[in-house]
Amino acid sequence: MNNKPLIEYINRYVNLTQNEINLLLENTTNRKYLKGQYIVQQGDICRFESFVIKGCLKTFYLDNEGQEHVVLFAIENWWTADFSSFLTQKPAEYNVQCIENSEVIQFSFEKMEMLYQKIPKLERFFRIIIQKAFVASEKRIVRNFSLSAKVRYLEFKSTYPQIEQRVPQYLIASYLGITREFLSKIRGQIIAEQ
Amino acid sequence: MNNKPLIEYINRYVNLTQNEINLLLENTTNRKYLKGQYIVQQGDICRFESFVIKGCLKTFYLDNEGQEHVVLFAIENWWTADFSSFLTQKPAEYNVQCIENSEVIQFSFEKMEMLYQKIPKLERFFRIIIQKAFVASEKRIVRNFSLSAKVRYLEFKSTYPQIEQRVPQYLIASYLGITREFLSKIRGQIIAEQ
């Protein structure tokens, strides 16, 4: 399977030597999932952080009423996991499920710690990408409070055009925290304005 | 000024040598702010990441209608900044203002990079604490979608009891994304139930 995207991605931030690349690849696992399969399920412990080589996945939370709430999407060159569960090795609150057939490279919790010790550059790499994820997450909180659903939908479309095309509308509605009927109304409005 | 809380906090995650501690403290700045003063204002570049030694601060966003949206609070042993602005050195979207007279230790953008180079353990330290911040932020998004304002208020009270006692109610309402009238109603309900 193709590991190049992962190495290229890491090398945007740090420079791995060939030995470090070999060590990394020896201690990660490539894995394929079918559409519909779960990488982690609510209540289980999330054993892996997964880098997406190919495919599309959603992280979602199922509330007490059985309602699905999409937390995140992941496509090529993104990371996915229940990060809280992975970091604490306690049961997951979220589910990560494939929306398309997907290929990922997985870092297990045990190997991850060893890799940090042997390749300290990975601390820097993950520090930087998690900072970016944190900043994006903070922005989303504020946007959810301060912007209309229509503006947030337009922002989502322009920030993640690839996801918008690959994901069913009802999941986008869930990600935006609105009903599918309301999203459908917004889309109607946008088309009428064009 | 007292630097001990910062060193103790960092040493919960990594072990700094005395030389590293000295280098760190030589390259950070202790600063006091009065209640009402701003550490960063929307539109300015955020030059510092600040560790709170004493006091209470809020990070907020002012929308086009002039409405204030509280993103985060910070008290003793927390970090504050417009992290997006700090990391990119582009104009801030948020304001960080002191709710009480505050004392902080500041890391400038330039010194920060040098400190990462000279004390690689700091990569690990910040990687770990930013992971925690990211996980908390993700949870907040899902809770905002899936839990009632009352449940979120009760969670806020129990998770951050210290903040609840030090911050005016209208700021807590803003943090929860509800009006102050609605928060007041919820508090009335809770008291009636006790």
mmCIF file of all heavy atoms in Angstrom, chain A residues 151-191:
data_model
loop_
_atom_site.group_PDB
_atom_site.id
_atom_site.type_symbol
_atom_site.label_atom_id
_atom_site.label_comp_id
_atom_site.label_asym_id
_atom_site.label_seq_id
_atom_site.Cartn_x
_atom_site.Cartn_y
_atom_site.Cartn_z
ATOM 1 N N VAL A 151 -24.675 31.242 6.416
ATOM 2 C CA VAL A 151 -23.275 31.674 6.284
ATOM 3 C C VAL A 151 -22.336 30.514 6.628
ATOM 4 O O VAL A 151 -21.334 30.289 5.945
ATOM 5 C CB VAL A 151 -22.995 32.904 7.180
ATOM 6 C CG1 VAL A 151 -21.509 33.249 7.190
ATOM 7 C CG2 VAL A 151 -23.814 34.104 6.725
ATOM 8 N N ARG A 152 -22.691 29.749 7.637
ATOM 9 C CA ARG A 152 -21.831 28.624 8.020
ATOM 10 C C ARG A 152 -21.816 27.551 6.929
ATOM 11 O O ARG A 152 -20.781 26.949 6.661
ATOM 12 C CB ARG A 152 -22.298 28.038 9.362
ATOM 13 C CG ARG A 152 -21.925 28.941 10.515
ATOM 14 C CD ARG A 152 -22.203 28.310 11.854
ATOM 15 N NE ARG A 152 -23.618 28.277 12.175
ATOM 16 C CZ ARG A 152 -24.290 27.200 12.530
ATOM 17 N NH1 ARG A 152 -23.673 26.026 12.589
ATOM 18 N NH2 ARG A 152 -25.568 27.253 12.800
ATOM 19 N N TYR A 153 -22.951 27.348 6.294
ATOM 20 C CA TYR A 153 -22.991 26.378 5.198
ATOM 21 C C TYR A 153 -22.111 26.853 4.028
ATOM 22 O O TYR A 153 -21.331 26.076 3.470
ATOM 23 C CB TYR A 153 -24.431 26.157 4.729
ATOM 24 C CG TYR A 153 -24.544 25.308 3.489
ATOM 25 C CD1 TYR A 153 -24.081 23.995 3.483
ATOM 26 C CD2 TYR A 153 -25.091 25.821 2.309
ATOM 27 C CE1 TYR A 153 -24.161 23.215 2.348
ATOM 28 C CE2 TYR A 153 -25.176 25.036 1.166
ATOM 29 C CZ TYR A 153 -24.710 23.738 1.180
ATOM 30 O OH TYR A 153 -24.779 22.976 0.055
ATOM 31 N N LEU A 154 -22.212 28.139 3.692
ATOM 32 C CA LEU A 154 -21.395 28.678 2.596
ATOM 33 C C LEU A 154 -19.900 28.583 2.935
ATOM 34 O O LEU A 154 -19.082 28.244 2.084
ATOM 35 C CB LEU A 154 -21.802 30.130 2.287
ATOM 36 C CG LEU A 154 -23.173 30.273 1.611
ATOM 37 C CD1 LEU A 154 -23.615 31.736 1.582
ATOM 38 C CD2 LEU A 154 -23.153 29.701 0.192
ATOM 39 N N GLU A 155 -19.575 28.866 4.181
ATOM 40 C CA GLU A 155 -18.166 28.744 4.621
ATOM 41 C C GLU A 155 -17.695 27.296 4.515
ATOM 42 O O GLU A 155 -16.583 27.023 4.080
ATOM 43 C CB GLU A 155 -18.016 29.193 6.074
ATOM 44 C CG GLU A 155 -17.789 30.673 6.215
ATOM 45 C CD GLU A 155 -17.258 31.031 7.607
ATOM 46 O OE1 GLU A 155 -17.087 30.138 8.462
ATOM 47 O OE2 GLU A 155 -17.016 32.221 7.824
ATOM 48 N N PHE A 156 -18.552 26.376 4.958
ATOM 49 C CA PHE A 156 -18.208 24.956 4.896
ATOM 50 C C PHE A 156 -17.939 24.531 3.450
ATOM 51 O O PHE A 156 -16.950 23.865 3.155
ATOM 52 C CB PHE A 156 -19.335 24.114 5.508
ATOM 53 C CG PHE A 156 -19.100 22.634 5.416
ATOM 54 C CD1 PHE A 156 -18.263 22.000 6.315
ATOM 55 C CD2 PHE A 156 -19.698 21.875 4.419
ATOM 56 C CE1 PHE A 156 -18.022 20.637 6.231
ATOM 57 C CE2 PHE A 156 -19.462 20.502 4.322
ATOM 58 C CZ PHE A 156 -18.623 19.891 5.232
ATOM 59 N N LYS A 157 -18.840 24.957 2.554
ATOM 60 C CA LYS A 157 -18.693 24.634 1.122
ATOM 61 C C LYS A 157 -17.361 25.152 0.574
ATOM 62 O O LYS A 157 -16.690 24.479 -0.194
ATOM 63 C CB LYS A 157 -19.807 25.320 0.317
ATOM 64 C CG LYS A 157 -21.033 24.473 0.064
ATOM 65 C CD LYS A 157 -22.178 25.340 -0.489
ATOM 66 C CE LYS A 157 -21.999 25.651 -1.970
ATOM 67 N NZ LYS A 157 -22.532 24.560 -2.829
ATOM 68 N N SER A 158 -17.000 26.382 0.948
ATOM 69 C CA SER A 158 -15.788 26.948 0.353
ATOM 70 C C SER A 158 -14.527 26.442 1.048
ATOM 71 O O SER A 158 -13.487 26.273 0.422
ATOM 72 C CB SER A 158 -15.852 28.485 0.320
ATOM 73 O OG SER A 158 -15.639 28.993 1.597
ATOM 74 N N THR A 159 -14.627 26.138 2.350
ATOM 75 C CA THR A 159 -13.427 25.639 3.062
ATOM 76 C C THR A 159 -13.177 24.170 2.724
ATOM 77 O O THR A 159 -12.035 23.746 2.603
ATOM 78 C CB THR A 159 -13.597 25.793 4.596
ATOM 79 O OG1 THR A 159 -14.068 27.114 4.875
ATOM 80 C CG2 THR A 159 -12.290 25.565 5.322
ATOM 81 N N TYR A 160 -14.242 23.400 2.617
ATOM 82 C CA TYR A 160 -14.082 21.962 2.385
ATOM 83 C C TYR A 160 -14.862 21.524 1.138
ATOM 84 O O TYR A 160 -15.766 20.684 1.228
ATOM 85 C CB TYR A 160 -14.589 21.173 3.599
ATOM 86 C CG TYR A 160 -13.978 21.595 4.908
ATOM 87 C CD1 TYR A 160 -14.741 22.218 5.892
ATOM 88 C CD2 TYR A 160 -12.633 21.368 5.173
ATOM 89 C CE1 TYR A 160 -14.173 22.605 7.106
ATOM 90 C CE2 TYR A 160 -12.052 21.751 6.375
ATOM 91 C CZ TYR A 160 -12.843 22.375 7.337
ATOM 92 O OH TYR A 160 -12.282 22.751 8.533
ATOM 93 N N PRO A 161 -14.527 22.079 -0.045
ATOM 94 C CA PRO A 161 -15.307 21.750 -1.247
ATOM 95 C C PRO A 161 -15.301 20.249 -1.541
ATOM 96 O O PRO A 161 -16.313 19.692 -1.967
ATOM 97 C CB PRO A 161 -14.600 22.544 -2.365
ATOM 98 C CG PRO A 161 -13.255 22.883 -1.827
ATOM 99 C CD PRO A 161 -13.408 22.967 -0.333
ATOM 100 N N GLN A 162 -14.191 19.597 -1.255
ATOM 101 C CA GLN A 162 -14.079 18.168 -1.527
ATOM 102 C C GLN A 162 -15.037 17.358 -0.669
ATOM 103 O O GLN A 162 -15.586 16.356 -1.115
ATOM 104 C CB GLN A 162 -12.667 17.705 -1.181
ATOM 105 C CG GLN A 162 -11.674 17.822 -2.301
ATOM 106 C CD GLN A 162 -10.486 16.957 -1.946
ATOM 107 O OE1 GLN A 162 -9.810 17.231 -0.968
ATOM 108 N NE2 GLN A 162 -10.249 15.909 -2.711
ATOM 109 N N ILE A 163 -15.187 17.780 0.581
ATOM 110 C CA ILE A 163 -16.076 17.039 1.481
ATOM 111 C C ILE A 163 -17.522 17.260 1.053
ATOM 112 O O ILE A 163 -18.312 16.319 0.996
ATOM 113 C CB ILE A 163 -15.859 17.471 2.944
ATOM 114 C CG1 ILE A 163 -14.446 17.092 3.396
ATOM 115 C CG2 ILE A 163 -16.898 16.825 3.869
ATOM 116 C CD1 ILE A 163 -14.104 17.466 4.804
ATOM 117 N N GLU A 164 -17.848 18.486 0.722
ATOM 118 C CA GLU A 164 -19.221 18.819 0.354
ATOM 119 C C GLU A 164 -19.726 17.936 -0.783
ATOM 120 O O GLU A 164 -20.890 17.562 -0.818
ATOM 121 C CB GLU A 164 -19.285 20.307 -0.022
ATOM 122 C CG GLU A 164 -20.607 20.986 0.316
ATOM 123 C CD GLU A 164 -21.518 21.092 -0.872
ATOM 124 O OE1 GLU A 164 -20.997 21.130 -1.994
ATOM 125 O OE2 GLU A 164 -22.753 21.145 -0.674
ATOM 126 N N GLN A 165 -18.805 17.611 -1.701
ATOM 127 C CA GLN A 165 -19.203 16.804 -2.849
ATOM 128 C C GLN A 165 -19.323 15.315 -2.532
ATOM 129 O O GLN A 165 -19.953 14.566 -3.261
ATOM 130 C CB GLN A 165 -18.192 16.985 -3.995
ATOM 131 C CG GLN A 165 -18.313 18.346 -4.674
ATOM 132 C CD GLN A 165 -17.036 18.733 -5.395
ATOM 133 O OE1 GLN A 165 -16.250 17.866 -5.776
ATOM 134 N NE2 GLN A 165 -16.805 20.019 -5.594
ATOM 135 N N ARG A 166 -18.681 14.882 -1.459
ATOM 136 C CA ARG A 166 -18.602 13.447 -1.202
ATOM 137 C C ARG A 166 -19.530 12.961 -0.095
ATOM 138 O O ARG A 166 -19.654 11.757 0.123
ATOM 139 C CB ARG A 166 -17.153 13.075 -0.854
ATOM 140 C CG ARG A 166 -16.257 13.174 -2.075
ATOM 141 C CD ARG A 166 -14.798 13.239 -1.713
ATOM 142 N NE ARG A 166 -14.277 12.000 -1.182
ATOM 143 C CZ ARG A 166 -12.983 11.796 -0.932
ATOM 144 N NH1 ARG A 166 -12.104 12.768 -1.171
ATOM 145 N NH2 ARG A 166 -12.569 10.662 -0.451
ATOM 146 N N VAL A 167 -20.111 13.895 0.617
ATOM 147 C CA VAL A 167 -20.845 13.531 1.833
ATOM 148 C C VAL A 167 -22.330 13.822 1.646
ATOM 149 O O VAL A 167 -22.686 14.868 1.115
ATOM 150 C CB VAL A 167 -20.252 14.343 3.011
ATOM 151 C CG1 VAL A 167 -21.141 14.302 4.208
ATOM 152 C CG2 VAL A 167 -18.858 13.840 3.352
ATOM 153 N N PRO A 168 -23.217 12.894 2.074
ATOM 154 C CA PRO A 168 -24.659 13.171 1.947
ATOM 155 C C PRO A 168 -25.043 14.447 2.703
ATOM 156 O O PRO A 168 -24.458 14.752 3.749
ATOM 157 C CB PRO A 168 -25.317 11.950 2.596
ATOM 158 C CG PRO A 168 -24.263 10.925 2.752
ATOM 159 C CD PRO A 168 -22.939 11.601 2.701
ATOM 160 N N GLN A 169 -26.037 15.134 2.172
ATOM 161 C CA GLN A 169 -26.452 16.412 2.752
ATOM 162 C C GLN A 169 -26.887 16.284 4.215
ATOM 163 O O GLN A 169 -26.652 17.184 5.010
ATOM 164 C CB GLN A 169 -27.598 17.017 1.915
ATOM 165 C CG GLN A 169 -27.134 17.506 0.539
ATOM 166 C CD GLN A 169 -26.138 18.660 0.607
ATOM 167 O OE1 GLN A 169 -26.297 19.572 1.377
ATOM 168 N NE2 GLN A 169 -25.090 18.590 -0.200
ATOM 169 N N TYR A 170 -27.516 15.158 4.573
ATOM 170 C CA TYR A 170 -28.018 15.078 5.965
ATOM 171 C C TYR A 170 -26.874 15.040 6.965
ATOM 172 O O TYR A 170 -27.019 15.473 8.110
ATOM 173 C CB TYR A 170 -28.975 13.885 6.146
ATOM 174 C CG TYR A 170 -28.314 12.537 6.247
ATOM 175 C CD1 TYR A 170 -28.012 11.986 7.492
ATOM 176 C CD2 TYR A 170 -27.989 11.800 5.116
ATOM 177 C CE1 TYR A 170 -27.399 10.743 7.600
ATOM 178 C CE2 TYR A 170 -27.385 10.563 5.211
ATOM 179 C CZ TYR A 170 -27.084 10.040 6.455
ATOM 180 O OH TYR A 170 -26.477 8.816 6.556
ATOM 181 N N LEU A 171 -25.701 14.558 6.519
ATOM 182 C CA LEU A 171 -24.538 14.561 7.415
ATOM 183 C C LEU A 171 -23.958 15.968 7.539
ATOM 184 O O LEU A 171 -23.465 16.363 8.597
ATOM 185 C CB LEU A 171 -23.470 13.592 6.915
ATOM 186 C CG LEU A 171 -23.826 12.110 7.005
ATOM 187 C CD1 LEU A 171 -22.669 11.260 6.469
ATOM 188 C CD2 LEU A 171 -24.151 11.698 8.443
ATOM 189 N N ILE A 172 -24.021 16.715 6.442
ATOM 190 C CA ILE A 172 -23.556 18.111 6.501
ATOM 191 C C ILE A 172 -24.473 18.908 7.423
ATOM 192 O O ILE A 172 -24.004 19.716 8.242
ATOM 193 C CB ILE A 172 -23.472 18.719 5.088
ATOM 194 C CG1 ILE A 172 -22.399 17.966 4.285
ATOM 195 C CG2 ILE A 172 -23.161 20.214 5.158
ATOM 196 C CD1 ILE A 172 -22.262 18.387 2.852
ATOM 197 N N ALA A 173 -25.780 18.660 7.326
ATOM 198 C CA ALA A 173 -26.729 19.320 8.235
ATOM 199 C C ALA A 173 -26.367 19.002 9.691
ATOM 200 O O ALA A 173 -26.315 19.903 10.537
ATOM 201 C CB ALA A 173 -28.155 18.858 7.931
ATOM 202 N N SER A 174 -26.058 17.744 9.957
ATOM 203 C CA SER A 174 -25.705 17.329 11.318
ATOM 204 C C SER A 174 -24.430 18.034 11.775
ATOM 205 O O SER A 174 -24.350 18.538 12.897
ATOM 206 C CB SER A 174 -25.528 15.814 11.356
ATOM 207 O OG SER A 174 -25.001 15.410 12.599
ATOM 208 N N TYR A 175 -23.436 18.101 10.886
ATOM 209 C CA TYR A 175 -22.175 18.794 11.208
ATOM 210 C C TYR A 175 -22.433 20.257 11.531
ATOM 211 O O TYR A 175 -21.823 20.832 12.432
ATOM 212 C CB TYR A 175 -21.219 18.660 10.017
ATOM 213 C CG TYR A 175 -19.913 19.408 10.166
ATOM 214 C CD1 TYR A 175 -18.805 18.801 10.764
ATOM 215 C CD2 TYR A 175 -19.762 20.710 9.700
ATOM 216 C CE1 TYR A 175 -17.607 19.474 10.903
ATOM 217 C CE2 TYR A 175 -18.564 21.388 9.827
ATOM 218 C CZ TYR A 175 -17.491 20.772 10.429
ATOM 219 O OH TYR A 175 -16.302 21.454 10.568
ATOM 220 N N LEU A 176 -23.363 20.864 10.805
ATOM 221 C CA LEU A 176 -23.682 22.285 11.026
ATOM 222 C C LEU A 176 -24.633 22.485 12.217
ATOM 223 O O LEU A 176 -24.881 23.626 12.617
ATOM 224 C CB LEU A 176 -24.304 22.893 9.760
ATOM 225 C CG LEU A 176 -23.405 22.959 8.526
ATOM 226 C CD1 LEU A 176 -24.201 23.410 7.306
ATOM 227 C CD2 LEU A 176 -22.223 23.906 8.736
ATOM 228 N N GLY A 177 -25.150 21.389 12.733
ATOM 229 C CA GLY A 177 -26.045 21.478 13.901
ATOM 230 C C GLY A 177 -27.450 21.943 13.542
ATOM 231 O O GLY A 177 -28.122 22.579 14.348
ATOM 232 N N ILE A 178 -27.882 21.657 12.298
ATOM 233 C CA ILE A 178 -29.240 22.045 11.865
ATOM 234 C C ILE A 178 -29.962 20.811 11.321
ATOM 235 O O ILE A 178 -29.339 19.775 11.091
ATOM 236 C CB ILE A 178 -29.191 23.162 10.783
ATOM 237 C CG1 ILE A 178 -28.385 22.703 9.551
ATOM 238 C CG2 ILE A 178 -28.588 24.441 11.365
ATOM 239 C CD1 ILE A 178 -28.301 23.726 8.429
ATOM 240 N N THR A 179 -31.270 20.931 11.123
ATOM 241 C CA THR A 179 -32.012 19.791 10.567
ATOM 242 C C THR A 179 -31.768 19.712 9.059
ATOM 243 O O THR A 179 -31.397 20.693 8.417
ATOM 244 C CB THR A 179 -33.532 19.938 10.784
ATOM 245 O OG1 THR A 179 -33.969 21.110 10.080
ATOM 246 C CG2 THR A 179 -33.864 20.080 12.256
ATOM 247 N N ARG A 180 -32.012 18.539 8.501
ATOM 248 C CA ARG A 180 -31.819 18.391 7.050
ATOM 249 C C ARG A 180 -32.839 19.244 6.276
ATOM 250 O O ARG A 180 -32.525 19.752 5.211
ATOM 251 C CB ARG A 180 -31.843 16.930 6.624
ATOM 252 C CG ARG A 180 -33.191 16.259 6.689
ATOM 253 C CD ARG A 180 -33.095 14.829 6.205
ATOM 254 N NE ARG A 180 -32.611 13.951 7.277
ATOM 255 C CZ ARG A 180 -32.396 12.644 7.115
ATOM 256 N NH1 ARG A 180 -32.571 12.070 5.942
ATOM 257 N NH2 ARG A 180 -31.990 11.899 8.107
ATOM 258 N N GLU A 181 -34.031 19.425 6.860
ATOM 259 C CA GLU A 181 -35.054 20.249 6.206
ATOM 260 C C GLU A 181 -34.563 21.699 6.115
ATOM 261 O O GLU A 181 -34.735 22.374 5.103
ATOM 262 C CB GLU A 181 -36.377 20.210 6.995
ATOM 263 C CG GLU A 181 -37.099 18.870 6.991
ATOM 264 C CD GLU A 181 -36.443 17.818 7.894
ATOM 265 O OE1 GLU A 181 -35.672 18.180 8.811
ATOM 266 O OE2 GLU A 181 -36.691 16.611 7.653
ATOM 267 N N PHE A 182 -33.949 22.158 7.202
ATOM 268 C CA PHE A 182 -33.464 23.536 7.226
ATOM 269 C C PHE A 182 -32.318 23.718 6.219
ATOM 270 O O PHE A 182 -32.256 24.717 5.499
ATOM 271 C CB PHE A 182 -33.034 23.909 8.651
ATOM 272 C CG PHE A 182 -32.768 25.376 8.836
ATOM 273 C CD1 PHE A 182 -33.630 26.340 8.308
ATOM 274 C CD2 PHE A 182 -31.657 25.810 9.549
ATOM 275 C CE1 PHE A 182 -33.385 27.702 8.482
ATOM 276 C CE2 PHE A 182 -31.397 27.160 9.727
ATOM 277 C CZ PHE A 182 -32.265 28.111 9.197
ATOM 278 N N LEU A 183 -31.434 22.716 6.131
ATOM 279 C CA LEU A 183 -30.341 22.815 5.157
ATOM 280 C C LEU A 183 -30.915 22.847 3.741
ATOM 281 O O LEU A 183 -30.451 23.614 2.885
ATOM 282 C CB LEU A 183 -29.363 21.637 5.305
ATOM 283 C CG LEU A 183 -28.212 21.628 4.277
ATOM 284 C CD1 LEU A 183 -27.394 22.927 4.340
ATOM 285 C CD2 LEU A 183 -27.274 20.441 4.496
ATOM 286 N N SER A 184 -31.926 22.043 3.514
ATOM 287 C CA SER A 184 -32.542 21.977 2.197
ATOM 288 C C SER A 184 -33.151 23.350 1.833
ATOM 289 O O SER A 184 -33.026 23.827 0.691
ATOM 290 C CB SER A 184 -33.581 20.860 2.257
ATOM 291 O OG SER A 184 -34.363 20.863 1.135
ATOM 292 N N LYS A 185 -33.763 23.996 2.806
ATOM 293 C CA LYS A 185 -34.334 25.336 2.615
ATOM 294 C C LYS A 185 -33.224 26.349 2.269
ATOM 295 O O LYS A 185 -33.361 27.154 1.342
ATOM 296 C CB LYS A 185 -35.034 25.747 3.927
ATOM 297 C CG LYS A 185 -36.117 26.774 3.757
ATOM 298 C CD LYS A 185 -36.848 26.986 5.084
ATOM 299 C CE LYS A 185 -37.063 28.463 5.320
ATOM 300 N NZ LYS A 185 -37.530 28.758 6.682
ATOM 301 N N ILE A 186 -32.128 26.273 3.016
ATOM 302 C CA ILE A 186 -30.990 27.178 2.772
ATOM 303 C C ILE A 186 -30.445 26.979 1.361
ATOM 304 O O ILE A 186 -30.177 27.942 0.631
ATOM 305 C CB ILE A 186 -29.861 26.904 3.808
ATOM 306 C CG1 ILE A 186 -30.282 27.372 5.209
ATOM 307 C CG2 ILE A 186 -28.559 27.580 3.398
ATOM 308 C CD1 ILE A 186 -29.320 26.949 6.312
ATOM 309 N N ARG A 187 -30.318 25.719 0.941
ATOM 310 C CA ARG A 187 -29.779 25.434 -0.400
ATOM 311 C C ARG A 187 -30.721 25.977 -1.474
ATOM 312 O O ARG A 187 -30.262 26.505 -2.499
ATOM 313 C CB ARG A 187 -29.546 23.928 -0.573
ATOM 314 C CG ARG A 187 -28.493 23.404 0.392
ATOM 315 C CD ARG A 187 -28.230 21.934 0.164
ATOM 316 N NE ARG A 187 -27.401 21.735 -1.012
ATOM 317 C CZ ARG A 187 -27.516 20.702 -1.839
ATOM 318 N NH1 ARG A 187 -28.444 19.789 -1.648
ATOM 319 N NH2 ARG A 187 -26.713 20.607 -2.891
ATOM 320 N N GLY A 188 -32.005 25.847 -1.201
ATOM 321 C CA GLY A 188 -33.004 26.401 -2.123
ATOM 322 C C GLY A 188 -32.838 27.901 -2.270
ATOM 323 O O GLY A 188 -32.830 28.445 -3.386
ATOM 324 N N GLN A 189 -32.672 28.577 -1.151
ATOM 325 C CA GLN A 189 -32.461 30.028 -1.147
ATOM 326 C C GLN A 189 -31.230 30.412 -1.962
ATOM 327 O O GLN A 189 -31.258 31.353 -2.749
ATOM 328 C CB GLN A 189 -32.204 30.534 0.281
ATOM 329 C CG GLN A 189 -33.434 30.811 1.116
ATOM 330 C CD GLN A 189 -33.047 31.237 2.534
ATOM 331 O OE1 GLN A 189 -31.873 31.504 2.805
ATOM 332 N NE2 GLN A 189 -34.026 31.266 3.421
ATOM 333 N N ILE A 190 -30.147 29.677 -1.738
ATOM 334 C CA ILE A 190 -28.877 30.003 -2.417
ATOM 335 C C ILE A 190 -29.044 29.843 -3.926
ATOM 336 O O ILE A 190 -28.582 30.690 -4.704
ATOM 337 C CB ILE A 190 -27.728 29.105 -1.865
ATOM 338 C CG1 ILE A 190 -27.448 29.484 -0.398
ATOM 339 C CG2 ILE A 190 -26.460 29.255 -2.704
ATOM 340 C CD1 ILE A 190 -26.581 28.505 0.353
ATOM 341 N N ILE A 191 -29.708 28.756 -4.337
ATOM 342 C CA ILE A 191 -29.919 28.530 -5.773
ATOM 343 C C ILE A 191 -30.787 29.662 -6.355
ATOM 344 O O ILE A 191 -30.473 30.204 -7.418
ATOM 345 C CB ILE A 191 -30.564 27.138 -6.021
ATOM 346 C CG1 ILE A 191 -29.516 26.053 -5.681
ATOM 347 C CG2 ILE A 191 -31.043 26.978 -7.469
ATOM 348 C CD1 ILE A 191 -30.098 24.667 -5.488
#
